[in-house]
Amino acid sequence: QGTRDHPPAQAALRDRLLAAVVACFKRHGAAAIDTPVLELRETLVGKYGEEAKLIYELQDQGGELLALRYDL
């Protein structure tokens, strides 16, 4: 359970692959955006409504309700 750690060699490969994809997108006019991976549940419910299929609900160790958008 939880999130996964990547060892240095795997992280370096991932970084190189991501850099190649980003460079290709930029060559073709794409602009980068940065979106949060996790948001407060109430924020996503405000954006997308109560539809359970659109968000994945999580709870942190302090009991706060978090959510992950369906497209992430």
Side-chain angles (χ1 to χ4, degrees), residues 7-59:
Q10 210 174 26
L13 174 60
R14 185 174 183 258
D15 288 346
R16 286 195 312 271
L17 290 172
L18 184 57
V21 170
V22 168
C24 180
F25 277 41
K26 286 184 177 183
R27 274 195 309 274
H28 294 280
I33 63 169
D34 189 18
T35 59
V37 174
L38 294 173
E39 292 193 46
L40 292 174
R41 182 186 180 279
E42 64 189 45
T43 301
L44 287 181
V45 167
K47 289 181 183 178
Y48 301 112
E50 288 286 339
E51 180 60 43
K53 292 181 181 180
L54 295 181
I55 59 175
Y56 297 97
E57 294 181 3
L58 308 163
Q59 189 172 17

